[in-house]
Amino acid sequence: MAENNYEDNAGNTQMFRAFVETPPAQERANVSVHRSSSGGGGRTGMIAFGAIVAVVVVVAVVWLAVK
């Protein structure tokens, strides 16, 4: 009888890809916290803050120029 030396190459490839494409646990935790905390609101808040600071700087420059 012939020996059964069957090796599932597709299964090995799938396990290897899952290992390579899966970020480490610490990275996954940081990504999930970052996504849940920002949600677009953090970036919008920073843009609004930057716009307010820009307006205050322009007003201060105009006020000093007129004075």
Side-chain angles (χ1 to χ4, degrees):
M1 283 196 187
E3 292 183 28
N4 190 1
N5 291 332
Y6 176 74
E7 186 174 331
D8 184 13
N9 291 328
N12 290 338
T13 303
Q14 289 172 348
M15 288 189 295
F16 176 74
R17 284 185 181 163
F19 173 74
V20 172
E21 294 174 357
T22 304
Q26 181 64 32
E27 228 177 278
R28 280 182 286 178
N30 290 341
V31 169
S32 64
V33 168
H34 179 67
R35 285 182 185 163
S36 65
S37 65
S38 68
R43 176 174 249 168
T44 304
M46 290 299 291
I47 292 172
F49 178 74
I52 291 170
V53 169
V55 169
V56 169
V57 168
V58 169
V59 169
V61 168
V62 170
W63 181 72
L64 288 173
V66 172
K67 188 176 176 186

